[in-house]
Amino acid sequence: MTDVVVPKTRPAGPFSAWEIELALRYLRARRKEGGIALIAIISYVAISLAVMALIVVMSIMAGFRHELLSRMLSFNGHMYVQGQVLSDPNRDAVVRRIGQVPGVVSVTPVIENQSLVRAAGQTTGAVVRGIRPQDLGSMSYVYDSLSAEAKRTFGQGAYGGDNIIIGKALAEGMGLRVGDPITLYSPTGADSAFGNLGGLEKTYRVGGVFTSGTADFDRAFLFMPLEQAQLFFGKEGVWDVIEMKIDQPDRVADLYPAVRAAAGPGGVVSDWRDRLAAFWGALKVERVAMSIILGLVVAIAALNIISGIVMLVKNKTRDVAILRTVGASQMSMLRVFFVAGAAIGVAGTATGLFLGLVFCLNIGPIQHFLEALLGVQLFNADVYMLDSIPALVDPGDVFWVAVWSLFMSCIASLLPSWRAAKMDPVEALRYE
């Protein structure tokens, strides 16, 4: 008699096909289990909407932050050089060396001082910025907003001429138009054989009106040719600062060694993060705060999974007892209900990511459609100087939103699944 060789069977591993199939079968709607299906649908919708809201809000905040920083950094420099190099006879050579540093786009010597402005019977304060006519193009928003006549006449005449450029908000506040006279008062006048003449008053002509994209700058600044500013403020042969613009403002730290070497021992280098430290810090705090608040919304939505799995475990008590009796392990039962809950989280997260990305990538057409449908202006382009609400999708933000949503869904699924795994089959069948 020959022995019959029985092939050895290996037990199914974790998250095997039968566990996943059973978990998905439990999630399918049945008439007598409609409550479970309804809770699963509510959890799915809640997670989807929470993830979508988190992505949309963070993308819009990133879009506004990018637009605001772009305008502020277009108006101001990205890096600055100060110190003894500003009065050095060889400072023009320093400017050339800095301009040759890889990554530096423009180098602008600047005179900047406060002044009283008087016109049309009104007096206010303003910051006068003296720059060379050829450096006006380094401020893209300002330069693009100027008329061809303003660009042509700026810097023409003796010591740069008497044409100055003022901001739109300042012009509207004082009732000025191109060609009108405007009187400036300097707290420090020009030097003479008798010493400094003290306060100097001079009348200029409004040669152009600029728009920087930031109302505060348009209200507080006006531009004057560099030579005229040196003469007006008694700073002949002196610069206040050398401003630089680089191709990647967020990587200014990488250019520090090269710029320091080009500026020489008499130059002190700083960057926009130092000058805009309060603003930059406020943006970071706002970003973190909003991420935490909206992250809690996702967490609360994910916690809805607990109630659904708890009801599922209660209704499937008999099934669990039978499966345990025929050999299913505690961990198998845990994985079955864990997969059921995690599937809701995965589906909700995927749907929320899709809806959020579609909304952000098409936010302009959606805005215009709603404005046409409702007959109201949802976003005033004249105030923000943008055609539509800006939205900048950051892949890093999308990644962490997805990870956080999946993590909270798994945590919410694990708690009731652990209860199902600890169930005693004898006690469960006793009451069936």
Side-chain angles (χ1 to χ4, degrees), residues 16 43 75 136 143 159 264 267 270-271 275 283 313 377 386 397 425:
S16 58
S43 302
F75 192 88
L136 199 59
Y143 188 79
Y159 296 98
S270 60
D271 62 68
R275 299 209 172 188
L283 286 180
V313 171
Q377 191 174 26
L386 294 169
D397 290 342

Side-chain angles (χ1 to χ4, degrees), residues 22-295:
L22 184 60
L24 297 179
R25 182 184 301 173
Y26 282 167
L27 288 177
R28 293 171 188 168
R30 294 180 181 176
R31 179 173 299 177
K32 65 179 181 178
E33 298 170 0
I36 298 175
L38 179 61
I39 294 177
I41 293 173
I42 292 174
S43 302
Y44 162 75
V45 173
I47 294 174
S48 300
L49 294 179
V51 170
M52 175 184 174
L54 183 55
I55 290 178
V56 170
V57 171
M58 293 187 67
S59 298
I60 291 177
M61 289 179 60
F64 274 110
R65 183 170 57 250
H66 174 74
E67 287 292 334
L68 186 56
L69 278 177
S70 297
R71 295 177 182 188
M72 295 182 71
L73 294 180
S74 173
F75 192 88
N76 298 284
H78 302 160
M79 299 186 73
Y80 307 89
V81 174
Q82 295 173 288
Q84 296 179 356
V85 67
L86 299 176
S87 56
D88 192 291
N90 297 322
R91 61 187 179 181
D92 290 330
V94 173
V95 170
R96 287 193 295 270
R97 289 200 303 268
I98 294 175
Q100 294 171 358
V101 173
V104 175
V105 177
S106 64
V107 184
T108 306
V110 175
I111 287 285
E112 191 169 286
N113 211 335
Q114 295 183 348
S115 171
L116 286 176
V117 180
R118 188 171 68 249
Q122 300 184 61
T123 303
T124 186
V127 179
V128 179
R129 178 175 291 185
I131 63 173
R132 300 177 301 187
Q134 63 267 31
D135 294 328
L136 199 59
S138 65
M139 297 174 289
S140 57
Y141 286 96
V142 172
Y143 188 79
D144 293 341
S145 66
L146 294 174
S147 64
E149 181 67 16
K151 298 174 185 177
R152 185 185 64 81
T153 58
F154 184 74
Q156 298 296 317
Y159 296 98
D162 293 336
N163 281 346
I164 63 174
I165 299 173
I166 67 175
K168 181 180 179 181
L170 180 61
E172 292 178 348
M174 303 190 74
L176 294 174
R177 295 177 298 179
V178 175
D180 290 345
I182 181 172
T183 301
L184 304 184
Y185 177 82
S186 166
T188 58
D191 293 328
S192 69
F194 303 100
N196 191 281
L197 298 177
L200 179 64
E201 182 177 309
K202 185 175 180 180
T203 299
Y204 293 89
R205 176 182 176 272
V206 178
V209 177
F210 72 84
T211 301
S212 66
T214 305
D216 290 341
F217 291 157
D218 296 349
R219 187 178 299 108
F221 283 86
L222 57 85
F223 290 97
M224 181 183 294
L226 182 63
E227 289 184 89
Q228 185 64 219
Q230 289 175 322
L231 181 65
F232 183 65
F233 291 110
K235 296 183 177 182
E236 292 186 77
V238 178
W239 298 339
D240 286 337
V241 66
I242 298 176
E243 289 187 354
M244 289 161 285
K245 285 188 170 60
I246 62 177
D247 53 0
Q248 295 180 313
D250 56 338
R251 300 185 62 184
V252 290
D254 298 340
L255 270 68
Y256 260 84
V259 173
R260 282 198 184 102
V268 179
V269 182
S270 60
D271 62 68
W272 65 270
R273 297 173 302 176
D274 301 322
R275 299 209 172 188
L276 301 176
F279 174 77
W280 183 241
L283 286 180
K284 291 193 289 187
V285 170
E286 180 188 35
R287 178 184 176 86
V288 172
M290 289 300 297
S291 300
I292 293 175
I293 294 172
L294 293 174

Side-chain angles (χ1 to χ4, degrees), residues 358-371 378:
V358 168
F359 186 90
C360 292
L361 296 176
N362 298 276
I363 192 168
I366 293 174
Q367 173 200 329
H368 299 322
F369 170 76
L370 292 176
E371 289 178 342
L378 301 177

Side-chain angles (χ1 to χ4, degrees), residues 386-425:
L386 294 169
D387 294 333
S388 61
I389 300 174
L392 180 63
V393 178
D394 187 346
D397 290 342
V398 174
F399 173 77
W400 286 113
V401 168
V403 169
W404 173 248
S405 178
L406 294 176
F407 173 75
M408 288 305 305
S409 299
C410 291
I411 293 297
S413 303
L414 186 61
L415 299 177
S417 301
W418 183 261
R419 177 176 175 270
K422 292 297 183 180
M423 187 180 301
D424 185 357

